[in-house]
Amino acid sequence: MEEYIFIYCTAGSGIVYVNNRKYMIHENEAFCIPRYCGHRYYACEDDPWSILWVHFKGEDVKYFPLEECKTVTFNSDNATNRMMFLFELLFRVLDGNYTLGNFIYISQVLSLILAETYNREKHHTTLEQNRHVTNVVRYMYKHLHEELTLQQIAEEFELSKSYLNVIFRKYTRHAPMDFYISLKMKEACKLLRSTNLYIYEVAQQLGYQDQYYFSRIFKKVVGISPKEYKNSEFFHYKE
């Protein structure tokens, strides 16, 4: 089939097979079956779905990720209400005459449905990633005196280690633990310059029991040893 099939589940659950791969679709989720793909779909027996669907093709399909076989979840009542409203508009016009004006209107409404599904979802994902990075960084600041591991951070926020690596590299250009160590060394610089603490005391305050290990990390990040930093005019180091 040379047309795409867009399915929006309003209640219940169903199953979609695309090229023999299985996808579960639940209430308030949307899925697009790519064109030219073998497919079948049906309602689950124990919780049959109610769906709105539309077949379409056209030049503007390239602006949306319709080939990815991606299930999109609508997490808010506002998003769900917008989808229902747009489908009602679409079906209302389809019940009318097949004039050029109506076809243009249908095309525009369909574009809004796809934009609502994919562009808003992308925006939501970006906001969520930003929120996760912000919360983790705040957590790191509160625990500079400890020796956190990536596993501990992942468990604290119920996120995978691989996901944390991806979003930190995206927004900070550093791996999570490299970013955490960088925060520690910035705090070390402040303590070395603004207090009379010995180097081993600074190390202990930042969760390092081994002064020499702390000194190696400090020199690697800052560029000079803690002793040299404490007695110099050096203030900045490469991020």
Side-chain angles (χ1 to χ4, degrees):
M1 179 181 293
E2 65 178 20
E3 298 173 333
Y4 293 91
I5 305 175
F6 182 87
I7 298 171
Y8 175 59
C9 181
T10 60
S13 301
I15 298 171
V16 178
Y17 280 92
V18 178
N19 292 334
N20 295 319
R21 184 173 179 180
K22 181 180 178 181
Y23 301 88
M24 287 292 301
I25 313 298
H26 303 286
E27 182 179 357
N28 295 330
E29 291 186 339
F31 186 88
C32 187
I33 300 173
R35 58 183 177 176
Y36 306 125
C37 290
H39 63 272
R40 55 194 173 98
Y41 53 93
Y42 51 86
C44 293
E45 290 186 5
D46 56 340
D47 185 25
W49 66 7
S50 296
I51 60 173
L52 301 170
W53 77 97
V54 58
H55 293 233
F56 64 93
K57 59 181 180 179
E59 295 181 0
D60 291 346
V61 295
K62 61 187 176 185
Y63 299 117
F64 304 99
L66 305 179
E67 308 291 340
E68 294 182 0
C69 291
K70 181 179 182 180
T71 301
V72 177
T73 302
F74 295 86
N75 294 307
S76 69
D77 290 339
N78 286 338
T80 300
N81 291 337
R82 284 193 296 269
M83 287 295 286
M84 294 299 295
F85 172 74
L86 290 171
F87 266 103
E88 287 175 7
L89 278 181
L90 185 69
F91 295 142
R92 188 186 309 163
V93 179
L94 284 171
D95 285 338
N97 298 323
Y98 292 140
T99 63
L100 177 60
N102 277 353
F103 275 122
I104 293 173
Y105 190 89
I106 289 169
S107 174
Q108 291 174 335
V109 174
L110 179 59
S111 292
L112 285 173
I113 289 173
L114 296 178
E116 185 71 29
T117 302
Y118 297 106
N119 294 346
R120 279 186 178 271
E121 189 270 342
K122 182 177 180 181
H123 178 63
H124 171 75
T125 299
T126 299
L127 291 176
E128 185 177 67
Q129 290 176 347
N130 268 309
R131 178 170 55 82
H132 285 153
V133 170
T134 300
N135 289 340
V136 171
V137 170
R138 286 173 178 167
Y139 183 77
M140 288 176 174
Y141 268 114
K142 290 180 180 178
H143 295 81
L144 289 179
H145 61 287
E146 300 176 24
E147 200 165 358
L148 292 176
T149 65
L150 184 59
Q151 183 65 37
Q152 288 174 311
I153 296 172
E155 290 176 356
E156 174 68 24
F157 290 92
E158 299 182 346
L159 302 170
S160 72
K161 292 188 288 185
S162 60
Y163 176 76
L164 281 172
N165 268 306
V166 168
I167 62 175
F168 260 78
R169 290 187 183 278
K170 178 178 178 181
Y171 292 102
T172 72
R173 294 179 293 175
H174 296 284
M177 298 316 295
D178 289 342
F179 188 87
Y180 179 52
I181 290 171
S182 176
L183 294 180
K184 280 175 169 285
M185 295 308 107
K186 286 180 181 179
E187 182 67 13
C189 287
K190 185 175 74 174
L191 292 173
L192 288 167
R193 190 59 57 79
S194 63
T195 71
N196 293 319
L197 294 173
Y198 292 106
I199 292 172
Y200 78 88
E201 293 176 314
V202 172
Q204 289 176 352
Q205 285 210 15
L206 294 170
Y208 296 101
Q209 300 309 311
D210 185 338
Q211 173 186 334
Y212 300 104
Y213 176 69
F214 163 74
S215 294
R216 289 197 300 272
I217 296 294
F218 186 95
K219 186 171 184 178
K220 181 180 178 181
V221 174
V222 179
I224 58 177
S225 70
K227 183 178 180 180
E228 290 172 318
Y229 186 88
K230 189 174 183 68
N231 299 320
S232 73
E233 298 296 323
F234 187 75
F235 278 93
H236 302 286
Y237 61 88
K238 182 182 290 187
E239 292 287 349

